[in-house]
Amino acid sequence: MAVVADRCPGIQVHVVDLNSQRVAAWNDPDLSRLPVYEPGLDAVVARARGRNLFFSTKVNEAIASADMVFLSVNTPTKTRGIGAGQASDLRWIEACTRQVAAAAQGHTIVVEKSTLPVRTAEAIQTILSAAQGEGKSFSVLSNPEFLAEGTAISDLEAPDRVLIGGNNAEALDALAWVYAHWVPEEKILRTNLWSSELSKLTANAFLAQRVSSINSIAALCESTGADVREVAKAIGTDSRIGPRFLQSGPGFGGSCFQKDILNLVYLCRHYGLAEVADYWEQVVELNTWQQQRIARLVVQRLFNTVAGKSIAILGFAFKADTNDTRESPAIRIAQELLEEGAQLAIHDPKVSLEQISLDLGREAGVGEGSWHIASDPQSACGGADACLILTEWGQYKQLDWQAIASGMRRPAWLFDARAIADADAARTAGLQVWRVGEG
Ligand code: UGA
């Protein structure tokens, strides 16, 4: 919405949330303290905030005065009840819809921005139509978001496409007009509601499938002497396959892929498509396997025991250029090593100690099966038997391996799950090196 405000100075954008702390953080005069770390976001907020971009807790007032309301709430995987572990929890989307139904005035276009199971718009429409009448009316559109974290601003400013689903031509035109301020008309795709909802889940499922596919081949490369980067390059030059999203690593993380695939799996089962459900579920299973495989391989190379050994973990975010740790591969890998009794020194340029504590479900400490935070990569590796790179932060590409290796206990290992470090320099410095997908 910050980018919409930035690109459309004539549109008043009110971002409202019930959480007053979060709203206060978005209003913080110190732009380095915005709740989300995203390259370029501070500049966008600086330009638009107070001009036509406002953050507040005045939810009802904002709904009443709006021509268009974007529902952008979280839809986590259900943890209990029917569909627990797979289905999306729609309680926030329903609560929001009811609030819009009650507070809206005149004609309001309601846009699903959250990623939702296909046919959720039907439920939204039903709730809204029950409130219709006396000068109050609604149209529902689906407008899924395709930005990726870490590149959100450039993805929004130059999207591959904008997708709008709906059955009402006037509402479709109104939303297309907003994007047309900066997106070429041919990139604004219009579909029916269900295609739009399903396209979002399908896009993430296909992307995640590429990651699981290349990670499965990485394991085979390690066993056969092939190199997954050479294989990825060789297949990626086929224009039908394409070069992107073929980087082998510790598996996909983030708030979307796993949640959306499980949602797809749940939908398939619901519609009686057991084989289709199994097919997609395997993409998630392979991802979990890849993370376990890496944790076990570390233990194996360290003489089958890491109890009491120091291991440096470089990177905790699910990918570079974000402070987001949701479903980060680092969580499962760190937990497995803690279970084995390792002492982890964790470094990440953007993730806080509090967040790591929450994710690992235990406070920082000392002794077997403990972790602490390190202020830089070199101090993380001090006295360690191994250094494990889990996030592809730019700074890990330029580490001084001579200096790092001199502080480690020999024989020492570099486990590079992102294959970004200078492996030759690490080897010259006397480290044994494992790189994902290198036979
Ligand atoms: C993903 C999609 O890429 C977006 O298009 C979508 O809008 C978003 O989910 C969403 O549903 O909101 P995101 O999760 O932010 O975006 O990040 P990605 O860049 O897709 O990376 C996901 C995971 O896959 C990361 O852990 C990343 O390290 C991993 N990955 C990605 C690989 O291991 N190899 C690759 O080649 C690419």
Side-chain angles (χ1 to χ4, degrees), residues 90-384:
L90 299 178
R91 74 173 95 177
W92 311 118
I93 205 84
E94 179 174 340
C96 254
T97 306
R98 289 185 186 279
Q99 193 163 5
V100 172
Q105 287 174 12
H107 184 70
T108 309
I109 298 172
V110 177
V111 185
E112 295 180 336
K113 193 45 128 169
S114 307
T115 302
L116 294 165
V118 61
R119 294 203 81 88
T120 306
E122 202 169 31
I124 294 176
Q125 262 166 343
T126 310
I127 293 170
L128 294 173
S129 11
Q132 222 147 256
E134 291 165 42
K136 197 192 274 203
S137 60
F138 300 96
S139 315
V140 177
L141 296 175
S142 157
N143 173 220
E145 187 47 65
F146 293 103
L147 69 82
E149 289 178 35
T151 51
I153 302 299
S154 51
D155 291 347
L156 285 165
E157 288 181 337
D160 286 344
R161 66 1 198 136
V162 164
L163 179 59
I164 309 178
N167 340 334
N168 178 310
E170 261 174 60
L172 281 163
D173 285 345
L175 184 53
W177 171 81
V178 172
Y179 285 107
H181 282 73
W182 78 98
V183 179
E185 199 58 57
E186 67 276 10
K187 291 197 170 177
I188 304 178
L189 310 183
R190 296 162 190 234
T191 65
N192 76 32
L193 273 170
W194 324 125
S195 305
S196 171
E197 287 178 330
L198 187 56
S199 298
K200 169 67 198 202
L201 295 183
T202 307
N204 275 356
F206 271 61
L207 289 169
Q209 185 191 43
R210 270 173 86 92
V211 176
S212 276
S213 297
I214 201 70
N215 283 341
S216 74
I217 299 302
L220 188 57
C221 287
E222 288 167 29
S223 305
T224 55
D227 184 321
V228 76
R229 278 152 296 279
E230 292 180 349
V231 174
K233 189 164 182 202
I235 65 165
T237 47
D238 185 323
S239 60
R240 293 164 304 175
I241 297 173
R244 294 169 70 191
F245 245 75
L246 285 179
Q247 269 162 39
S248 179
F252 55 77
S255 63
C256 307
F257 282 179
Q258 176 166 317
K259 169 176 79 78
D260 293 350
I261 298 176
L262 291 175
N263 183 351
L264 192 66
V265 168
Y266 184 72
L267 280 165
C268 293
R269 292 238 157 85
H270 170 82
Y271 288 106
L273 303 168
E275 288 77 4
V276 185
D278 293 345
Y279 176 74
W280 287 108
E281 197 165 25
Q282 195 57 35
V283 172
V284 174
E285 278 174 26
L286 206 104
N287 195 51
T288 307
W289 171 80
Q290 174 79 344
Q291 291 161 15
Q292 287 166 343
R293 181 172 89 83
I294 291 173
R296 284 169 198 168
L297 176 147
V298 170
V299 176
Q300 237 170 35
R301 306 281 159 106
L302 297 179
F303 311 113
N304 284 311
T305 173
V306 293
K309 288 182 182 167
S310 288
I311 299 177
I313 303 278
L314 302 190
F316 205 78
F318 83 95
K319 61 187 266 192
D321 295 321
T322 175
N323 60 346
D324 195 344
T325 61
R326 285 176 291 177
E327 304 294 341
S328 176
I331 300 173
R332 185 174 281 121
I333 294 172
Q335 267 162 349
E336 296 235 349
L337 295 172
L338 289 172
E339 281 307 303
E340 293 287 330
Q343 301 184 43
L344 306 179
I346 303 176
H347 172 263
D348 188 287
K350 290 287 172 192
V351 179
S352 68
L353 174 115
E354 295 74 29
Q355 189 58 50
I356 297 175
S357 248
L358 276 174
D359 290 333
L360 294 180
R362 58 182 106 187
E363 307 264 302
V366 284
E368 269 191 30
S370 69
W371 67 276
H372 67 274
I373 204 148
S375 53
D376 58 86
Q378 188 158 345
S379 66
C381 294

